[in-house]
Amino acid sequence: MQELEPSVLKKINEWLQGSYDAETKQHVQKLLDEKSFTELTDSFYRDLEFGTGGLRGIMGPGSNRINKYTIGAATQGLSNYLKKTYPREQIKVAVAHDSRNNSDYFARITAEVFSANGIYVYFFKELRPTPELSFAIRELGCKSGVMLTASHNPKEYNGYKAYGADGGQFVSPEDTKVMEEVAAVSSVDKIKFNPEEQNIELLGEEIDELYLDKITNLSVSPEAIKRQKDLKIVYSPIHGTGITLVPQALKRFGFTNITLVEEQVKPDGNFPTVVYPNPEEKEALTLALQKGREIDADLILATDPDADRVGIAVKNNEGEFILFNGNQTGSLLINYLLTAWEEKGKLSGNEYIVKTIVTSYIIDEIAKARNVECYNTLTGFKYIGELMTKFEGKKTFIGGGEESYGYLIGELVRDKDAVVSAAFIAEMTAFYKDKGSSLFDALLEMYQQYGFYKEKLVSVTKKGKSGAEEIKAMMERFRNNPPATLGGSRVTALKDYELRVETNIASGDKKELELPKSDVLQFITEDGSIISARPSGTEPKIKFYCSVKTTLSDKSAYQATSAQLDEKVNSIMNDLGV
């Protein structure tokens, strides 16, 4: 026992002696008997907390794991918060889940705890995409909602995304209030697990129809789609929820030639055909790329398990399929939307787009050229949603997104939406094909016009308690001893979002940053490179976002210029010791 810290042992004993089910207790006792102290420490050394994406963790028994009791405590805490916030109202919430193992079980627990607290629950009877939950909250007048998902994480994970009345994830100060209420659920005995079935209403196809109809009404270039309706599209839901709505959305937009990746169509929480169900990973698109080559596709689309993120592949000028990263797809989407809106005479000067501080700054340039406001938020789509709610009815949101493959077009939801994004990426492909161009050509033209921006994300994984301490030490080192040069260029400014201060390195002058406090550091160099360091709020990782830029003189210089920028990124990462 000497290898377990007293606080961890105390937590373990609470679970062994408390009102937990026999199977859970047996599992914990077995780990004790086997002296699995590392696993026990990781399972019990803390309580799971709401990060940038809510609760997320490995499934299993323990206070730092996703299980019936941590899900129950989160829902009880959220119920207490809602009842205090809306004391004299009939509170309604929506609950949905993705294809992960146990997601349906955890969703049912969530709905039951809400119902036991006298809260009316709209419960999606089958798996559905995350953005549809956000849509349902807004459409049905709910005060909150919960999505059971761990997005693109490995199969061992699950999670709990909590939403506010605007259909966006909770932001400050509400997120802190919810966390305080969850923390106040100090005992399993405080969780109301006995459902009131009359408080649970099942949702099905009727909300799908409403959502799809409203998405279709957003289309900007229906004439181009009519002429290019047989565009060859390959789509994979990577064993997730996208299969329920993405093919339908593409058909509603007018596309008739959609090929599904049959091996990945069936929802399956074991994700049997991929290592990670993440459209950012080339490996996850292996089968989609094979199918694309087979039918000579114009566009390959793949969505993650909860269908809020989408990855794409297109042919380059040599006829080879290449994957676009999140910055490339997001930049192209914004460029297309602003081009199409301008051609239709829809830009009035009251429109805006939103991105995050770690997303390509070519988007800022594109917006500036069209006199459209571009706002930058902290990382996490909840901040984009927060801004949209602030401007609702005052300005028109065209679109926005973040480098991690999450985009949104239109104001129907307050989260990233791969359903509407997939439809618009297909529309964008048709728009350029109608002009005798391709998405790859459109990318090169965008680089020629606005500058060749290249971004790379480097993630360093540090697992468990010791990993969390290592990540903290890395951030302290960068904060206290920032590098003088990166990639051969002098660091001219340091933005510390934790302290909310921007420092001019040469003069020492400081100015306040407007965005909320967040553990992010940004180094800005003389030649315009921007390097951001940020610990993940949902995974045991520290992430480095590197953005470099130059000019692209001619399309034929693309490969050589791209290679030069790659070298620069590597040089910067070496300077950071990553």
Side-chain angles (χ1 to χ4, degrees), residues 289 297-300 312-316 320-324 429 439-440:
L289 286 162
D298 294 292
L299 174 67
I300 295 171
I312 77 169
V314 299
K315 280 180 290 191
N316 63 15
E320 306 159 327
F321 278 102
I322 58 163
L323 270 63
F324 280 174
T429 309
L439 276 196
F440 185 74

Side-chain angles (χ1 to χ4, degrees), residues 216-240:
T216 309
N217 288 337
L218 296 173
S219 174
V220 192
S221 304
E223 310 86 356
I225 293 173
K226 267 182 196 162
R227 290 188 288 269
Q228 305 295 336
K229 65 181 180 183
D230 61 347
L231 190 81
K232 284 186 267 187
I233 301 169
V234 167
Y235 170 63
S236 170
I238 317 182
H239 304 290

